[in-house]
Amino acid sequence: MDEPDLMSARAEVQRTDRTGTIWFAAALVAVTLFVASLVLSGWRPSLLPAGAAVAWWIGFALAALGLAGIGYAGCPIYWGNVEVAHWQKSVAIRAGLVLFLIGGVTVVVSMLAG
């Protein structure tokens, strides 16, 4: 009996679909809880000094781009063949996680500095 190739492009795309969905859900819950607590407390980015506000919006944009990349990686849509989908989803989930983390840290640091 042949063993399935767990490192094939098809297996990697399926794995990225599953893990991307989990990462996306976790990130969405984290962002929702964070933003909801800020809104409910009455905090707004306009309360920050100008430099910290700019950093906050840059961090917010990076986190949003990262969340979009993670969402794409978890979406079961393929453009082209399996090898192309493997490359696209690998880049999307890696870049998405990095942008999401950098954006989140930038937001929090700018809030603490302001």
Side-chain angles (χ1 to χ4, degrees):
M1 183 168 27
D2 290 331
E3 293 289 324
D5 183 9
L6 297 178
M7 297 304 290
S8 69
R10 182 171 304 281
E12 285 293 323
V13 168
Q14 290 172 342
R15 191 171 15 259
T16 302
D17 282 347
R18 285 189 303 273
T19 58
T21 301
I22 294 167
W23 276 107
F24 182 70
L28 201 56
V29 167
V31 167
T32 302
L33 291 175
F34 180 72
V35 171
S37 65
L38 290 177
V39 169
L40 290 174
S41 72
W43 185 89
R44 302 287 185 266
S46 60
L47 299 174
L48 292 171
V54 168
W56 191 91
W57 282 110
I58 289 171
F60 181 83
L62 289 174
L65 283 172
L67 191 58
I70 297 167
Y72 172 74
C75 185
I77 294 175
Y78 309 122
W79 301 101
N81 57 27
V82 174
E83 286 75 24
V84 171
H86 175 243
W87 180 82
Q88 289 173 340
K89 288 179 175 280
S90 293
V91 170
I93 198 161
R94 289 177 181 136
L97 287 171
V98 168
L99 288 174
F100 184 74
L101 291 173
I102 290 172
V105 168
T106 303
V107 163
V108 171
V109 168
S110 67
M111 289 174 64
L112 293 174

